[in-house]
Amino acid sequence: MTRRALSLLLPLLCLAPCGAETPVEKANREKILLIGNASDPKSLDPHLVTGVIEHNIIRSLLEGLVSDDAYSDTAYPPGAATSWEHNENYTEWTFHLRPDGKWSDGAPLTSADFIFGYNRLLHPDTLGPYAEMLFFLKNAEKFNRGEITDFSQVGVSAPDDYTLKLTMREPVPFLLGMTRHYTWFPVPRHVILRFGKMTDRFTPWCEPGNFVGNGAFVLKEWKLNDHVDVAKNPLYWDAANVKLNGLRFIPAENYYTETRGFLAGQLHTTYQLPPPLVDKIKEECPQYLHQEPYLATDFIRVNVTRPKLDNPKVRMAMSLAIDRKLLCDNVLQGNIPCGTICPNLGDYKPDQIVSFDPERAKALLAEAGYKDGVGLPRFKLLMSSTGSRGTVEAIQAMWRDTLGINIDLQPKDWGAYVSAQQKLDYDIALAAWTGDYLDPSTFLLMWTKDNGNNNTGWSNPEYERMLSEAAQQADPAQRLAIFKKAERMFIEDQAILPISYRGRNYLHRPEVKGWSPLLLDNHPWHTISLEP
Amino acid sequence: MFKALFSRLIQSLLVLLVLFTVTFFLVKAMPGNPLNREKAMPEHIRVKLEHYYGLDKPVLAQYGIQLGRYLQGDPGYSIRLEGREVTDIISQAFPVSFQLGVLAMGVAITIGIPAGCLAAARKNGLIDVMAMSIAMFGICLPSFVIGPLLAEFFGRKLQLLPAFGWDAIDPKTWILPAVTLGLAYAAYLSRLTRAGMLETLSQDFVRTAKAKGVPGWKILIRHCLRGGLIPAVAYIGPAFAGIISGSLVIETVFQVPGLGRHFIKSIETLDAPVIMGVTMLYGTLVIVANFLTDLAGIWLNPRLRKSS
């Protein structure tokens, strides 16, 4: 029997001789970084996409005015621009482009390419879903809405080929960080126009073989659901210091599959480690485990238009009954308990407004007229079918045990989940928000009355007045102080119940050098090296 | 013969039309909007995008437009994968699913049919009990359990085979997905083969052959195999259509870039053009496979040949 079993295994053994090189070892030799990237990009056209997955790839192919720093979120190394200055109240910024900047086909990179990019994204016919990232530019929103048709009225101009002047609608002291987002990147005007009109949504300009970029890498191959390969760009301004020969982005959607692939030597870094595996990895191979903060917050969205939930005391009681530390220690491994929505952002340190306080929670609920939950209906907790079931089940138990509130879980497919929130067709919903740039406005602006991401029914004119006041404030310290007051007002009303600041658990090989924790997770590909 | 073929063709076209119509209206009945994003886009852009994709038209008008496109052989563009033609998605993913399906069916036939024959030949013996127990095990144990176990053992622990990934020209990447996918089908095939063979073995001509002193193996292979395989062949046709149009579980567990993942993703994101494209392809494959199965059945069964 043993002999038979061996004879069955023999062909397999022949296929893989002992000591065969793993994909990672081969990639180390060839200086190719193998990266788990969660899913296939929707597109590589920076004006048609909105996601992090696409950002990871696009920022290897295109470079903005300033570059990413490998060790700091708030350091701004030069990118396509070598220097910049702004006026006293941060409403006018001037960027000086590098005169040796080139596209990967050798064409010179000029300020016209940036202006063309902003024109294309903002043009009403392009239908760019993320055009609002540029609304900080003067008249940009009006142009995008079609209220003005002359692009020269938008706050962007080029005094010469290598100078770009941006005029903002309000003081924007955090502009440098924003320009690292792909919506602010230049696009190759000469290539896009070769394949069609400026506003044509679908042309083959960003296909392999056609894509021309100014980043450290060029697009080599894109096999759907398999991989996106980029290779070193010899015409990149800093090509001499780019240590990798290429990157391979692998869209491993199943994080268990991705983890297995990493441990089998097929990846240098994973996109995410499933929380249930954290303890096992800590035990078996802690050298690979990375647990780092990330610019995102998990919370529970409340539909404040629903009877009973329209009472702030009920919402606050529910919030005070959540033991966030217990949740983070046991379910959301790597996350940090939080009592507000905005994480610490350098100079901005928000107050932690709510924390676990069961006695106060019970008292508040009784004050609201629902002692021990009597009189409250069974609320439904909406979640996406891929959401954390452990989190909602734990919260369900906490509310039942502490307050006597019973809830039912309501899992829905992603599309139905988003749609239900947008239509306010839910009671409470498990949700999250990821910041786009390092400024509290990325977490606070969405809670205004008509914002498409609010989805709570909550609004407060005083809150909106404060946000407007902050927007007009030129002094950065004053501006942040107003944001802090506004955030307190929002959280004290508990239209959302904060849970935790998101942590990123992932696996990463030690031979990848030039990689350190970054809140936005934008590791600059051009400074990374492989040193086995 | 031609009349029968023509009639079959007309029936197939009608089935495809019904499939198209039912799928279209089911997709439209699903809650949500294909333009939903995690971060909502400005309302004025959403309205224009709905117009761009024709989502603001009455459902019947959308049906007419979509049907017209299909009649011209143009399934349109994906909404999720911005600007990507449905034909492009299918032409990239289907060959992978096809290759995996053929290999898996090869595994299933290689294991399932001999196991079924052996079990029938040794009815109620140790081999029969063992083969059928293993088959029951294969049927009951889903591939999302077998797949990760194989990947963990051969991929991670022994590092003999890749734990994930697919390369059309590297056989090492085919083995684990094809074996995992093929095992469940092998289990079904062995049971069907056993049943078919047992029925054939109980026929009078077998008794006559035995009386004449024909060796057992000769009776089994020469006299019974053709008839005994009829149930298995009837199963292989439709199963083959299913297996080559993608398996979500296998594709997810082994990171295979096949059609199944596109199909599920398109359903999750209400990407109607991709849902329709893949469904119509699947429908066509089932019809063709059934037709070929019928032909094979006629070839195997002389009585059917006469009646047809």
Side-chain angles (χ1 to χ4, degrees):
Chain A
M1 196 64 198
T2 315
R3 201 182 293 170
R4 274 189 192 172
L6 277 176
S7 69
L8 286 171
L9 267 176
L10 202 61
L12 293 176
L13 293 167
C14 292
L15 281 167
C18 285
E21 202 176 35
T22 66
V24 157
E25 286 162 351
K26 183 168 179 267
N28 286 344
R29 193 166 39 80
E30 294 172 348
K31 305 277 179 223
I32 307 285
L33 189 67
L34 306 173
I35 309 151
N37 200 36
S39 73
D40 229 16
K42 290 183 169 65
S43 166
L44 292 179
D45 185 333
H47 297 157
L48 299 186
V49 294
T50 56
V52 174
I53 303 302
E54 291 81 10
H55 192 192
N56 284 342
I57 303 172
I58 290 172
R59 64 191 174 80
S60 74
L61 304 169
L62 295 169
E63 184 175 58
L65 292 160
V66 302
S67 188
D68 289 303
D69 188 88
Y71 301 99
S72 164
D73 285 298
T74 48
Y76 301 105
T82 51
S83 62
W84 45 85
E85 65 259 359
H86 57 81
N87 64 358
E88 204 175 316
N89 65 357
Y90 299 93
T91 53
E92 288 200 352
W93 289 77
T94 306
F95 292 86
H96 304 283
L97 307 188
R98 58 183 67 254
D100 58 342
K102 281 189 175 64
W103 291 103
S104 54
D105 63 352
L109 171 71
T110 66
S111 41
D113 295 310
F114 281 90
I115 294 178
F116 177 83
Y118 302 161
N119 190 355
R120 182 169 183 258
L121 177 55
L122 287 171
H123 199 287
D125 292 346
T126 309
L127 305 178
Y130 228 10
E132 62 184 326
M133 283 292 284
L134 297 184
F135 285 179
F136 289 97
L137 287 170
K138 187 182 160 195
N139 286 332
E141 188 171 358
K142 282 185 182 166
F143 181 73
N144 186 247
R145 287 180 173 277
E147 290 165 14
I148 57 171
T149 52
D150 180 8
F151 185 72
S152 66
Q153 290 182 42
V154 176
V156 51
S157 60
D160 60 59
D161 276 356
Y162 296 99
T163 308
L164 184 71
K165 204 170 159 190
L166 304 179
T167 307
M168 318 309 287
R169 70 175 175 189
E170 61 201 28
V172 186
F174 53 95
L175 179 69
L176 290 180
M178 290 242 306
T179 63
R180 297 198 289 209
H181 191 269
Y182 54 72
T183 44
W184 290 83
F185 287 178
V187 288
R189 180 179 46 144
H190 61 294
V191 179
I192 291 177
L193 293 178
R194 197 186 300 151
F195 288 98
K197 293 205 306 284
M198 178 182 81
T199 54
D200 283 347
R201 284 173 60 78
F202 308 134
T203 67
W205 81 267
C206 43
E207 295 288 315
N210 300 337
F211 199 110
V212 166
N214 69 325
F217 299 89
V218 287
L219 184 62
K220 198 170 138 194
E221 188 177 42
W222 178 8
K223 276 193 174 177
L224 284 177
N225 269 345
D226 196 12
H227 63 257
V228 176
D229 277 352
V230 299
K232 187 175 173 177
N233 173 11
L235 294 182
Y236 178 59
W237 64 271
D238 198 22
N241 292 315
V242 177
K243 295 170 191 88
L244 292 174
N245 287 327
L247 308 159
R248 170 167 281 203
F249 298 92
I250 298 166
E253 278 174 17
N254 184 301
Y255 297 138
Y256 290 91
T257 298
E258 189 188 36
T259 303
R260 205 178 302 119
F262 177 91
L263 296 172
Q266 292 186 250
L267 285 172
H268 281 114
T269 182
T270 66
Y271 191 81
Q272 193 177 323
L273 177 69
L277 292 185
V278 170
D279 285 340
K280 188 177 162 60
I281 295 291
K282 269 184 190 165
E283 204 177 287
E284 290 179 11
C285 39
Q287 74 275 22
Y288 296 139
L289 179 63
H290 280 236
Q291 294 189 290
E292 295 162 6
Y294 183 63
L295 193 65
T297 307
D298 291 322
F299 55 87
I300 289 174
R301 196 175 247 123
V302 185
N303 179 358
V304 302
T305 65
R306 288 276 154 105
K308 321 285 184 191
L309 289 172
D310 55 3
N311 185 340
K313 284 182 182 170
V314 173
R315 302 196 297 262
M316 182 56 95
M318 290 168 84
S319 189
L320 294 170
I322 300 173
D323 189 343
R324 296 162 175 85
K325 186 173 181 313
L326 189 78
L327 209 52
C328 291
D329 288 348
N330 294 290
V331 185
L332 298 165
Q333 302 236 19
N335 283 20
I336 301 161
C338 73
T340 190
I341 185 163
C342 189
N344 282 354
L345 297 167
D347 293 337
Y348 186 74
K349 291 187 176 53
D351 298 327
Q352 297 300 318
I353 292 150
V354 284
S355 59
F356 181 50
D357 188 345
E359 293 314 312
R360 202 176 139 222
K362 282 181 200 166
L364 258 181
L365 198 65
E367 218 176 286
Y370 308 108
K371 191 170 184 308
D372 297 328
V374 178
L376 286 177
R378 282 185 81 94
F379 296 121
K380 284 189 182 139
L381 201 163
L382 175 71
M383 61 183 291
S384 79
S385 48
T386 53
S388 167
R389 214 166 172 100
T391 305
V392 290
E393 282 172 357
I395 291 173
Q396 188 182 32
M398 287 170 192
W399 284 340
R400 187 190 56 226
D401 298 346
T402 310
L403 300 174
I405 295 177
N406 290 305
I407 59 162
D408 294 320
L409 305 186
Q410 192 182 24
K412 288 193 175 182
D413 279 342
W414 180 254
Y417 161 79
V418 174
S419 183
Q421 288 183 82
Q422 286 172 349
K423 290 185 203 157
L424 285 184
D425 183 19
Y426 74 100
D427 295 330
I428 43 182
L430 187 66
W433 186 257
T434 305
D436 293 309
Y437 47 89
L438 295 174
D439 187 78
S441 57
T442 191
F443 284 93
L444 299 181
L445 291 180
M446 63 192 273
W447 307 109
T448 53
K449 192 174 181 190
D450 296 320
N451 193 293
N453 292 307
N454 183 333
N455 301 332
T456 58
W458 182 89
S459 68
N460 186 329
E462 177 59 12
Y463 177 76
E464 292 181 27
R465 190 199 61 74
M466 278 198 249
L467 291 187
S468 304
E469 193 190 335
Q472 299 309 318
Q473 182 55 252
D475 177 4
Q478 278 295 316
R479 184 174 170 275
L480 295 185
I482 300 169
F483 271 137
K484 204 167 161 177
K485 268 168 66 184
E487 183 168 0
R488 173 169 279 281
M489 170 183 279
F490 170 60
I491 294 296
E492 279 177 346
D493 243 11
Q494 291 290 304
I496 63 142
L497 321 182
I499 299 176
S500 62
Y501 294 138
R502 185 76 63 80
R504 211 166 89 73
N505 298 317
Y506 65 104
L507 299 174
H508 186 73
R509 291 197 176 268
E511 61 259 42
V512 184
K513 306 293 180 199
W515 184 289
S516 68
L518 292 173
L519 262 181
L520 280 167
D521 202 32
N522 292 342
H523 304 278
W525 305 125
H526 61 282
T527 61
I528 287 170
S529 62
L530 286 169
E531 292 166 28
Chain B
M1 183 69 180
F2 281 114
K3 203 174 165 187
L5 276 175
F6 184 72
S7 155
R8 189 68 183 253
L9 181 70
I10 297 295
Q11 281 174 31
S12 304
L13 289 175
L14 278 174
V15 168
L16 285 177
L17 181 66
V18 171
L19 179 67
F20 181 90
T21 308
V22 170
T23 312
F24 181 88
F25 287 103
L26 280 177
V27 172
K28 288 292 157 193
M30 282 162 74
N33 185 312
L35 299 175
N36 278 341
R37 302 283 188 273
E38 192 169 8
K39 293 186 178 179
M41 61 183 86
E43 192 54 27
H44 66 281
I45 293 182
R46 167 191 283 276
V47 169
K48 283 184 175 173
L49 269 175
E50 283 183 346
H51 179 70
Y52 183 86
Y53 284 110
L55 298 170
D56 55 347
K57 292 189 170 64
V59 174
L60 274 178
Q62 289 184 45
Y63 172 75
I65 292 167
Q66 188 97 328
L67 185 61
R69 273 190 172 165
Y70 265 79
L71 291 175
Q72 293 168 42
D74 172 22
Y77 289 90
S78 162
I79 299 176
R80 182 178 71 90
L81 293 169
E82 294 269 13
R84 186 70 74 162
E85 283 186 62
V86 174
T87 46
D88 184 25
I89 293 170
I90 291 176
S91 65
Q92 280 202 41
F94 181 63
V96 176
S97 294
F98 184 81
Q99 189 182 5
L100 171 60
V102 169
L103 290 166
M105 197 43 96
V107 170
I109 290 171
T110 312
I111 298 173
I113 289 181
C117 290
L118 272 177
R122 297 278 184 271
K123 188 186 169 191
N124 297 334
L126 183 64
I127 291 179
D128 183 21
V129 172
M130 274 181 66
M132 288 307 106
S133 303
I134 292 169
M136 192 49 78
F137 199 61
I139 290 166
C140 297
L141 209 59
S143 41
F144 62 79
V145 174
I146 298 176
L149 285 175
L150 290 179
E152 184 70 16
F153 185 68
F154 291 106
R156 190 195 155 188
K157 290 254 161 57
L158 298 182
Q159 301 217 343
L160 286 175
L161 297 163
F164 75 51
W166 181 266
D167 188 334
I169 53 169
D170 180 3
K172 274 166 70 178
T173 63
W174 308 342
I175 295 172
L176 291 182
V179 168
T180 311
L181 185 55
L183 281 178
Y185 288 89
Y188 277 108
L189 268 182
S190 65
R191 289 184 66 83
L192 288 170
T193 307
R194 180 182 179 272
M197 291 298 282
L198 283 178
E199 199 191 325
T200 318
L201 283 166
S202 65
Q203 307 269 325
D204 290 344
F205 72 89
V206 175
R207 207 176 312 133
T208 313
K210 276 183 186 165
K212 281 181 176 176
V214 180
W217 66 268
K218 219 172 199 177
I219 294 172
L220 200 69
I221 294 173
R222 283 243 182 112
H223 299 271
C224 298
L225 192 57
R226 195 159 159 174
L229 280 183
I230 290 172
V233 169
Y235 169 75
I236 287 174
F240 190 61
I243 206 170
I244 61 171
S245 55
S247 158
L248 171 73
V249 174
I250 302 301
E251 289 174 14
T252 306
V253 169
F254 293 104
Q255 185 65 22
V256 177
L259 212 48
R261 280 167 71 199
H262 282 297
F263 192 37
I264 297 299
K265 200 82 187 170
S266 65
I267 293 170
E268 282 175 358
T269 54
L270 293 174
D271 189 354
V274 177
I275 298 175
M276 297 299 295
V278 179
T279 307
M280 295 312 288
L281 173 73
Y282 183 65
T284 310
L285 286 173
V286 170
I287 286 171
V288 171
N290 273 320
F291 180 66
L292 294 176
T293 306
D294 288 352
L295 287 183
I298 290 167
W299 177 71
L300 287 168
N301 190 341
R303 274 178 293 179
L304 278 177
R305 209 180 307 162
K306 272 183 196 161
S307 67
S308 70

